Amino acid sequence: MAATIVPELSGVDEEVWRRTEALITQGLSGRPDAMVRQLVLFIRVVNVLAVVRFLRPFTALDDARRLRFLSSLENAPILAIRRGVWGLRTLVFMGYYGQDDVRARLGYRAKSLGWRAVRQEGADW
Amino acid sequence: MVKHAQYDVLIVGSGAGGGTVAQALIPLVQAGASVLVVEKGPRFRDDEFTGHELDMAPALYEDGGGFLTADGTMTLAMGVAYGGSTVVYTGTSLTAPERVIRHWGVPGLDYADLVARSEKYEAENNVHLLPDEEINENNRLFVEGCHAAGYEARQFPVNVKGCLGSSLCNLGCPNQAKQGTNRVQLPRAERGGVEIVTRAEVLRIEERAVVVRVGEPRPGEKGEPSEWKPGDYRVEAATVVLAAGAVGSSSLLLRSGFGSRLPRLGEGFTCHPAFILVGEHEREITNDVGHPKSYYLDRAEEEGWVLETCMYFPFVTAKSLTGFGPSHSTLMRAFGRLQMILVLATDKVTAGNRITVDRRGRTAVHYTFTPSVVESMVDATRAATRIFFGAGAARVHAPPANPPLIERDEISRLDKRIHARFFRTGRVSVSAAHLMGGCGMGRDASQSVTDAWGRVHGHPWLRVADASLFPDSVEINPYLTIMGLADRVAEGIINDHAVNCASLGEER
Ligand SMILES: Cc1cc2nc3c(=O)[nH]c(=O)nc-3n(C[C@H](O)[C@H](O)[C@H](O)COP(=O)(O)OP(=O)(O)OC[C@H]3O[C@@H](n4cnc5c(N)ncnc54)[C@H](O)[C@@H]3O)c2cc1C
């Protein structure tokens, strides 16, 4: 599911996965147990719904189908399902975009020294 | 074992409201009174502000920035620190519009008086317009786009001193440039003899007393240890001032049983619900350097919305965009070419939008997006999209559109592409940082919780001095109005102090 949300994750090495998981675990650590349980339940529900719709679990679907299916859940008429997708994507985004080298690769350059850093580093900006 | 302490005045919370009252009571301290501020969050050392979102958000925000409304459709941002939300605010500094204060209709609240007090804090907080050379392209493009779309952007006065343009305001300024209560009012209050205890959460309010729990930092956690030993305290005070923020003050009063005599307690919650729009340009722009919020477009009176420039960090940006997958990733990879605008609806008090506590004392904020709020956000999104295209953007990501990415050649179809039917709660990432109401001011307990001087109806020893006082939304960035109101509350305390001390003495 994570690679459906952030396609870059499908081609990354073990280390990036480990860092992604560590940030997600850290993000979940101060959250109420009930929220974590709901999330686990939601992931199971997604798998069951995939079986109902395609007669196979989510993990057995090809990339295009996974994307279409999760997108349909994001627009589902039931709020709890839309919220579930929102919660899931938020965690995956946290795990991936929270990584320093990913941020650098995006071109995100904010620095405490602001304009001073721009002047000092000149050509890099 | 519960420890005991006694003060003349006890202030709960150290944000815009609490910090103002703390400083304004220095004359009382000089006259021999004891004043204590009790703050749930910790003090941070200057070197702890790293500007990294996953490092700072959990340290500075309630629930790490993930506090959700009861149905989970909106995130509410509240700072928890010495300085409260002023540690994380952007520092845009506006005084309340006259029409709003008139609409509030609070007997005894004079507009000129409120503005004069807000202006006092404007001066104290070094509020000024940034010079032209410090305005980045993200902001300049907004001005250009507004002009092209037939609007006139206005420049935000901001309260910074020595701003280096880190763009990291909402993660706590790493250069301590923002003049929040943590930089200005609280240090002055401490120098003037006011005592401040951090990591101290008020659990309950009793008659002229509060129960406080002082905690310890967890291993590796940011922030200084508390000034007091960990444990539970019962602190008596002749006057108790609640400045725990709109959600904090209302829920504390409800948890302490004040709801039975104050039917409006927790009601009237508003928050300027907001979402982010992103415009993608063909070339790199300066967006992650410079003050992030230098301009705005105020259509609150005419159309119920305000647009502000903004710039967020990668994770916040990713979660604020609608959708996921390849199109989302492509937009994220264009980070250096993104222009951002924040859409805010100036919502109104609505039955059902309120703060409650459940039987276990847990806080819930109930918020339903009314059709008029949704229409405002949709209308504002169309305007912002025109502004992006007017500034030269190639495409715009608009949350109430499906698919959310709008190409330039679709500009003639914006009314169809951006529509209320695409504003699906749970799908669109809505957040709010201007939390207001819950202890609204007014004439009596049937219509309100407090009077024009922040006194809780029927409890002359108890006052409120924060954003919860607002009887309706203020329709602009609120902190200067909160400081103006808190300044009045402090004046009332000084005037009433002798009377309250005498009655506490009689009880003892
Ligand atoms: C990200 C962000 C950006 C913003 N930008 C702007 C801006 O640019 N301009 C503007 O005008 N406004 C802005 N605001 C809004 C502004 O910061 C708030 O409206 C203002 O600070 C609210 O003041 P307050 O006193 O009501 O509450 P706060 O400033 O939130 O202070 C409340 C304090 O009470 C403490 N507290 C809560 N419960 C307890 C308890 N039980 N015991 C002890 N302590 C407790 C909290 O920890 C907190 O420190 C922004 C807000 C945020 C979150």
Side-chain angles (χ1 to χ4, degrees), chain A residues 4-5 7-8 31 74-75 82-83 86 89-90 93-94 97 100 103 106 108-112 114-115, chain B residues 52-53 63 66 71 164-166 175 288-289 313 315 319 321 323 325 328-329 333 424-427 429:
Chain A
T4 307
I5 291 166
E8 284 88 338
R31 311 295 288 165
E74 194 196 25
N75 287 294
R82 298 199 297 274
R83 271 184 56 186
W86 189 85
R89 66 192 275 288
T90 298
F93 291 151
M94 180 192 288
Y97 292 111
D100 285 338
R103 298 148 70 85
L106 296 179
Y108 179 69
R109 306 155 299 183
K111 293 199 169 69
S112 297
W115 292 114
Chain B
H52 194 298
E53 57 185 328
D63 277 357
D71 71 356
L164 299 182
S166 73
N175 306 306
D288 49 12
V289 61
F313 329 103
F315 162 54
K319 96 170 170 175
L321 300 175
H328 182 281
S329 283
R333 283 200 301 271
R424 303 208 93 172
T425 51
R427 171 179 173 267
S429 278

Side-chain angles (χ1 to χ4, degrees), chain B residues 13 15-17 39-40 81 84-85 89-92 202 244 433 466-467 477-479 482:
Chain B
E39 167 55 54
K40 182 161 90 168
S85 300
Y89 69 7
T90 322
T92 58
V202 173
D466 59 22
N477 314 58
Y479 96 82
I482 298 166

Side-chain angles (χ1 to χ4, degrees), chain B residues 64-76:
Chain B
F67 185 100
L68 290 167
T69 49
D71 71 356
T73 58
M74 179 163 55
T75 312
L76 304 180

Side-chain angles (χ1 to χ4, degrees), chain B residues 173-478:
Chain B
C173 180
N175 306 306
Q176 291 75 47
K178 251 175 350 179
Q179 301 298 292
T181 57
N182 58 322
R183 303 304 305 175
V184 183
Q185 288 77 24
L186 295 169
R188 278 191 201 160
E190 288 189 281
R191 285 196 296 275
V194 172
E195 189 180 340
I196 301 181
V197 54
T198 56
R199 294 192 189 272
E201 179 175 8
V202 173
L203 304 178
R204 207 170 51 250
I205 300 165
E206 299 174 348
E207 183 79 15
R208 290 193 168 86
V210 304
V211 176
V212 184
R213 177 160 297 162
V214 174
E216 292 181 86
R218 288 190 304 272
E221 193 182 63
K222 280 181 189 287
E224 300 285 349
S226 178
E227 298 74 3
W228 285 10
K229 286 212 168 69
D232 286 357
Y233 294 77
R234 187 170 186 281
V235 186
E236 288 181 28
T239 301
V240 174
V241 185
L242 284 183
V247 175
S249 291
S250 305
S251 56
L252 198 47
L253 283 173
L254 285 163
R255 208 172 292 130
S256 308
F258 285 80
S260 54
R261 273 173 291 165
L262 295 165
R264 295 290 303 161
L265 184 57
E267 303 285 332
F269 174 79
T270 58
C271 62
H272 298 162
F275 54 54
I276 301 170
L277 259 69
V278 164
E280 185 187 338
H281 288 264
E282 307 271 346
R283 60 175 182 90
E284 296 257 315
I285 62 169
T286 49
N287 54 15
D288 49 12
V289 61
H291 191 276
K293 200 179 281 297
S294 310
Y295 282 90
Y296 68 108
L297 172 62
D298 184 354
R299 302 290 298 166
E301 186 175 6
E302 301 83 359
E303 284 154 305
W305 50 261
V306 174
L307 302 181
E308 298 180 348
T309 52
C310 66
M311 184 64 208
Y312 293 98
F313 329 103
F315 162 54
V316 173
T317 304
K319 96 170 170 175
S320 303
L321 300 175
T322 305
F324 45 80
S327 61
H328 182 281
S329 283
T330 306
L331 202 56
M332 286 301 292
R333 283 200 301 271
F335 206 88
R337 291 185 274 121
L338 299 184
Q339 183 192 346
M340 293 192 196
I341 298 178
L342 187 72
V343 161
L344 298 100
T346 48
D347 55 342
K348 297 277 182 207
V349 164
T350 302
N353 286 354
R354 63 198 176 113
I355 299 150
T356 61
V357 292
D358 67 12
R359 255 185 284 155
R360 289 166 64 184
R362 287 175 308 199
T363 304
V365 179
H366 305 266
Y367 194 91
T368 304
F369 298 94
T370 60
S372 94
V373 162
V374 172
E375 271 311 329
S376 290
M377 295 185 93
V378 166
D379 193 37
T381 303
R382 289 181 188 136
T385 304
R386 286 190 196 98
I387 291 167
F388 280 125
F389 286 136
R395 60 193 62 81
V396 172
H397 178 99
N402 199 3
L405 220 48
I406 299 174
E407 297 294 331
R408 205 182 164 79
D409 60 10
E410 295 182 276
I411 195 160
S412 60
R413 299 199 302 124
L414 291 191
D415 286 357
K416 283 212 176 89
R417 285 287 277 112
I418 300 167
H419 200 278
R421 69 176 175 279
F422 302 128
F423 182 98
R424 303 208 93 172
T425 51
R427 171 179 173 267
V428 174
S429 278
V430 186
S431 62
H434 299 167
L435 316 183
M436 300 165 276
C439 302
M441 296 175 289
R443 190 181 305 278
D444 57 39
S446 70
Q447 300 158 14
S448 58
V449 176
T450 49
D451 69 12
W453 294 90
R455 257 180 312 231
V456 176
H457 297 304
H459 304 276
W461 55 274
L462 182 60
R463 299 203 184 225
V464 176
D466 59 22
S468 62
L469 290 170
F470 291 13
D472 206 335
S473 104
V474 70
E475 303 187 21
I476 46 112
N477 314 58

Side-chain angles (χ1 to χ4, degrees), chain B residues 17-181:
Chain B
T20 302
V21 177
Q23 179 190 251
L25 292 186
I26 292 174
L28 213 58
V29 176
Q30 286 166 345
S34 54
V35 176
L36 174 72
V37 178
V38 179
E39 167 55 54
K40 182 161 90 168
R43 273 176 212 258
F44 294 98
R45 291 191 318 272
D46 291 354
D47 64 356
E48 288 183 299
F49 292 93
T50 61
H52 194 298
E53 57 185 328
L54 295 195
D55 196 22
M56 295 315 301
L60 291 171
Y61 286 89
E62 185 77 46
D63 277 357
F67 185 100
L68 290 167
T69 49
D71 71 356
T73 58
M74 179 163 55
T75 312
L76 304 180
M78 312 169 225
V80 184
Y82 172 91
S85 300
T86 74
V87 178
V88 292
Y89 69 7
T90 322
T92 58
S93 308
L94 297 175
T95 50
E98 186 166 1
R99 68 181 165 79
V100 169
I101 305 304
R102 291 212 190 292
H103 162 77
W104 284 4
V106 177
L109 180 65
D110 175 52
Y111 176 71
D113 174 69
L114 179 59
V115 167
R117 290 173 198 265
S118 298
E119 282 172 357
K120 184 170 90 181
Y121 291 97
E122 229 177 64
E124 194 169 293
N125 289 356
N126 197 40
V127 172
H128 63 287
L129 296 176
L130 289 178
D132 215 30
E133 64 273 15
E134 285 180 29
I135 307 292
N136 68 13
E137 278 180 293
N138 185 45
N139 282 282
R140 285 176 200 278
L141 288 167
F142 180 76
V143 179
E144 278 174 40
C146 280
H147 191 70
Y151 296 112
E152 199 182 330
R154 278 191 255 167
Q155 190 172 355
F156 266 126
V158 291
N159 67 1
V160 292
K161 202 181 260 181
C163 173
L164 299 182
S166 73
S167 83
L168 299 166
C169 311
N170 300 146
L171 299 175
C173 180
N175 306 306
Q176 291 75 47
K178 251 175 350 179
Q179 301 298 292
T181 57

